[in-house]
Amino acid sequence: MVEKRSSAGYAPAMSPTTGRPSLRDRTRDEVFALIRDSRDLTRSALVELTGLPSSTIGHAVSRLLAEGRVTESAAPAKGPGSGSGRPGSILNAVATTTRTGAIDFGHRHFRVALGDDAGNVIDEEIVQLNVDQSPVRGLDAAAASLRALGARNSVSALTCVAAGVPGPIEEDTGLVCSTTTLSNWAGIYPARELEKRLGVPALVSNDASAGALGELHHGAGRGHRDFLYIKASHGIGAGMVVRGELFEGGTGFAGEIGHIIISGRPELCRCGNRGCLEAVVSVPSVKEQLSHTHPHLDVDAVDLATLNDPVTARILNESGRTMGTVLAGLCDLLNPTLLIIGGELGASGQPLIDGVRASVNRFAQPSTSSAIQVVAAGLGQRAELVGTVQLAAALARA
């Protein structure tokens, strides 16, 4: 007779009368599943989620800690609206030897990472490549880089792979739908293409949504239940976290804010309209301004975060103010407690963040704006990759 084991490899004690795991073991494994599939849960949160007495939860957690399946650590500072009182310690599952792959496709580069089933990054690297120009070349190169990264870490096989793409992904099919943001990718099913190349299950999401997930679990979003993550780079997109969960809309296209039109602006957007947010405020538009004010610079190669002069600060601050006029309306609609600005512009420095803050204060309702913090991404330009590792971990556990 083969001994039955739990998904974590622990053999539960069998009841001598029923031949099934005991009630205490079933409760322990149900609590473990909640901790594993979430992050930063407290004992009180487990009581609320399960409806079980605190003593039962306490006993199950104590067993999991003793077995080494769960770790306990101090809770991060709470965000506004999270309630008062001393936060309880947080619980997280211990990773197994399962290894996953993650890819974050940018417009001019991609990042790859190895992760585990707890959503931790084990190793990563960045490759400069014009991903927009040739999706086939980009997919081939990303798959090859992920295999090389696995070999470097003595990982012979991945369980699954997840990827973030800077464009709208149809939720039900995984189809890239945009003919403007990623024109050469339109009609491609990236998850299917990665499955062909890597031979494992694949999942693909919008990159801004992945960035929001990364910030929720490992970045500035920890301790907040309702926030907006803005990826501000060559394009502009938003990821939304509502009540602690990623919100992607009815068909997966929520957060396509880059094409909200700013009245009176003449800039031509790649979508054919004039005055779209990403045509007015994006890395190319900022660098075009810098090419006039800093003629000695190679603006295509410069890292915006390295420029520390009054003219650059003025350009970035004005860009933040313009972005903030759009975000103020979103804040009135969604009432977040936090705005996280990511991407290359988010990492450019405090002047842009201050500009966003000024416009949110000016244009959002006072009752809304007073509750909002505006910060740069805690993970910097790695937020999308870290979030994609989270997606891969969830796929591995499914």
Side-chain angles (χ1 to χ4, degrees), residues 249-331:
T251 57
F253 299 154
E256 291 294 320
I257 67 170
H259 300 283
I260 293 176
I261 293 176
I262 302 173
S263 179
R265 296 301 296 243
E267 290 88 346
L268 180 64
C269 182
R270 55 188 166 182
C271 75
N273 286 325
R274 290 186 181 273
C276 290
L277 174 61
E278 69 174 43
V280 179
V281 180
S282 62
V283 168
S285 67
V286 168
K287 288 190 173 182
E288 184 178 359
Q289 295 175 69
L290 290 173
S291 69
H292 293 290
T293 59
H294 298 67
H296 60 287
L297 282 181
D298 179 0
V299 294
D300 290 332
V302 71
D303 180 352
L304 295 176
T306 64
L307 300 180
N308 186 26
D309 62 88
V311 175
T312 300
R314 187 180 305 134
I315 291 171
L316 290 171
N317 185 262
E318 184 60 31
S319 296
R321 287 173 181 268
T322 302
M323 189 191 311
T325 61
V326 172
L327 299 182
L330 299 180
C331 290

Side-chain angles (χ1 to χ4, degrees), residues 168-177 188-192 202-205 248-253:
I169 307 294
E170 189 172 58
E171 184 177 30
D172 291 340
T173 65
L175 175 70
V176 178
C177 295
I188 288 179
Y189 297 86
R192 297 180 190 176
L203 172 69
V204 172
S205 176
E248 297 183 281
T251 57
F253 299 154

